[in-house]
Amino acid sequence: MLRPFLLTFLSVFATAAAVNAADWLHWRGPNQNGFSQEKGLPDSFDPALKAKGNVAWSAPYGGRAAPLIMDGRVYVLQGFGEGLGESERVVCLDEKTGKKLWEFEQRIYHSDIVSSRLGWTSLAGDPNAGYVYAHTTAGNLICLDKDGKLVWERQLTEEFGRVSGYGGRIIAPTFDSGLVIVGMLNSSWGDQARGANRFYAFDGKTGTVVWIAETAFPLKVTYQSNPTVAVIGGQRLLIAGGSDGALHAFKVRTGERVWSYLFSKGSINPSPVVDGNLVYCAHGEENLDSNRVGRVICVDASQVDPATKKPKLVWEYQQSQRFGLSSPALAEGILYMPDDSGELHAFDAKGGKRLWSYRYATEVRGAPLIADGKCYIFDVKGRFSIIKLNDDRKKKPDEDDTFIYTFKETVNGRPVQTETNGTPVAVNGRVYFNSRTDMLCLASPDAKPQSVKYKPDPAEAPYNAAAVAALRLYPAEVTAKPGDKVTFTVVYIDANGREVKAPVDAKAEWSVILPGKTPTGAQPPKLDATVTGDAATGTAQLGKLPQSQGYVEVTVNGLVARGRVRTAPLLPYAANFDKAPPGSSPMGFVNTNGKYLIKAFGDGNNVLSKVNDNARPPLAKAISYMTTPSAADYTIQSDVYGTLVRDKLPDCGLINSRYSLVLDGKPDTTLNALTLRITSWEARPRINQTVAFDWKPNTWYTMKFVVEQKDKSAVIRGKVWPKADKEPEKWTIEFEDPHPNRNGAAGVYGYIPNIQENAGGKIDPGSELYFDNLSITPNKK
């Protein structure tokens, strides 16, 4: 049974308490603005001199993100290893000594992100439970306890259709009000199959979905604006830039969108900072209202137009400078904003006047830390600068007062430039940061850490335990098996999303309702379920259909809440698609609608067809996920058929336990032939076992893909043969992975690379790709 999400009276207000200065739980610090109040911090360092060079310790655990400091420990997410063993890991170190206490390893798959951009998401922490949360490149959202044990895990790609791009832009988790909140681009199922920028909030203790929210405008490209949490106008808000080119605010506990400010033609990558009612953000893309690029804005989030849900613009700066790759810091009334070319700009935070600019680099990613009258900041090319700020912060720093250390790596005995993208943090009298290869802790030997207190959040609106403003269902979304009983808890909340008591006269009506239409305009049938309940809980009894999806709804005294339910098929599972109407998509499949459609093929036969008339990458190239991520030790088989268009076949394949068996539609230049491949993490690729296979257009083939789990490895085998022929005894391709993926959702893969958009927007469709007679069966023991 799912755990109810309960907030006690005390926990409602816990997040508004004074911040513990001994921890650095958000990547931008206790007040989430890149400002540390620590004193006595070093203004130079030399790793070769160790303590005499202001280096308290160093450890071989580098990365691209800001470290997390919690309860005497330092945590970092990093890429490590090489070859078949290349992965990511969360590493925990002792804060005082740098000694490694534990590590937790995660494989890479389901991503176009390359090796050099692993580990770019900062971690989040729950200081009360001692939990650490990570969002990995592969799309795993994991919760680890203080001993490095896995508490819970959600696979965002297989469960919710998360998308990642080449550039490494994925969003760090944020912990607040008992929730772990993560933003992503995704294409799920039902009315959320349409690609959008969404935020998912999970119960921090169980990983159960609490709410789902969506930005206001159509998505553009991947983005990396990590959220900030602040109380404005008595409301506790999650504030973040989005893929849609806007700055957004959502109520933390419910996901209700409060306001949006559209100010870019592209995505927003910098993270916002907040001072009172004022919210600051920036971008490095084209502007909507001028031919200049880049912009810095300040909006007053206490003055929101109720008709447009748009906050008042206080000031803006746009002078054709790109502010798209770093994030600002806000300290003592000054907004510090690096542009992409390595110039640090200082603005009067209230009025917007640019006070000065200071050239410290030529290319940047990391954000500035302002602490003890200094600015600590990386550039991309291995340079770490400690810029002494002028006593009068409104005056430009003196170049002679800047210390620069350049990190180097050695390759084949020669020093080479190393890429650095991290953001430093300062807590407990020390500065912590990552180079690409190492974690460093800086401290002045004669400095004595002082007690530091940070400004608490403003008070939220007064709490009234009887002030019911809305309902929500817990969980907000669940995946279950045919025949399961799913229990929902009715949560009564006030206008700020805080839990309150149910009305004394509460009367509930439960129902299964039609889900929203899909992106193709189709109306799916209702969820195969019956639902009963009262004003406290409801139970959905799922039917026997192997796959189904839809909404459960409750109405209490005129207030309405809904929960999403998806039924995933059990194994063994078989589908020939003949019972589904042409133009629809299979029920319960993830990342499928709008990318795959049922189509008539021949007399009375339906097939699953890859959409071939939209060249946008997430539509032209897609994996449809069918089972839950826990599926393991199984065989997936399907008939496949491709057509030749403009001298190209499609790429088609099967997915098993996060491995792919792929028939390539373009000849391999080395083999000078079409190929069959086993891959995992194709962008690297970690595995790329290839054999020549000359498959023909307009011919049905059968693909069979099995992953057998061994004690220390996984044996991966694939067969392909003409459907009209007898199955061959010999496997076409085999590989044994000594660093195995142990489980993962089954799926099909299709890529149509030859779609053409002509003048006037006319589309010439690419190759056709069909799947039929799909089966997923447990391996025989």
Side-chain angles (χ1 to χ4, degrees), residues 507-519:
K507 294 182 179 180
E509 295 180 7
W510 290 84
S511 59
V512 176
I513 65 167
L514 280 172
K517 291 186 178 181
T518 67

Side-chain angles (χ1 to χ4, degrees), residues 409-416:
E409 291 183 66
T410 301
V411 176
N412 296 327
R414 299 180 60 185
V416 296

Side-chain angles (χ1 to χ4, degrees), residues 739-759:
H739 300 273
N741 304 328
R742 290 302 191 186
N743 56 277
V748 297
Y749 163 78
Y751 176 35
I752 314 298
N754 52 351
I755 303 167
Q756 288 188 352
E757 183 173 348
N758 301 314

Side-chain angles (χ1 to χ4, degrees), residues 233-381:
Q235 293 182 332
R236 192 163 191 85
L237 302 176
L238 179 89
I239 304 171
S243 165
D244 58 357
L247 179 65
H248 303 279
F250 303 88
K251 293 182 182 179
V252 164
R253 301 181 185 93
T254 66
E256 178 187 347
R257 186 172 63 88
V258 177
W259 54 258
S260 297
Y261 191 89
L262 184 65
F263 70 115
S264 173
K265 286 185 178 179
S267 63
I268 309 299
N269 290 311
S271 297
V273 293
V274 178
D275 182 19
N277 296 330
L278 302 181
V279 182
Y280 304 87
C281 201
H283 75 77
E285 309 297 327
E286 292 182 51
N287 284 298
L288 296 163
D289 55 359
S290 75
N291 57 6
R292 293 171 174 170
V293 296
R295 196 178 219 154
V296 181
I297 65 166
C298 170
V299 298
D300 187 338
S302 70
Q303 299 187 52
V304 179
D305 186 320
T308 63
K309 286 192 171 183
K310 183 178 180 180
K312 178 184 176 181
L313 178 68
V314 178
W315 61 262
E316 64 180 357
Y317 174 86
Q318 51 171 316
Q319 293 292 331
S320 289
Q321 284 150 326
R322 296 184 182 271
F323 298 97
L325 300 175
S326 183
S327 289
L330 182 63
E332 302 165 320
I334 307 294
L335 182 74
Y336 298 88
M337 184 71 231
D339 68 25
D340 297 356
S341 68
E343 191 162 358
L344 181 65
H345 300 258
F347 298 90
D348 174 72
K350 299 292 185 184
K353 178 183 177 182
R354 192 178 76 150
L355 304 171
W356 49 262
S357 65
Y358 181 90
R359 171 70 60 184
Y360 70 96
T362 58
E363 185 180 1
V364 301
R365 298 288 190 279
L369 167 70
I370 307 300
D372 193 26
K374 311 173 190 71
C375 175
Y376 297 82
I377 193 166
F378 265 117
D379 73 0
V380 170
K381 299 179 180 179

Side-chain angles (χ1 to χ4, degrees), residues 36-55:
S36 171
Q37 296 186 29
E38 299 289 333
K39 303 296 182 182
L41 302 177
D43 55 12
S44 65
F45 68 95
D46 186 347
L49 298 178
K50 299 185 178 179
K52 292 182 179 180
N54 293 329
V55 178

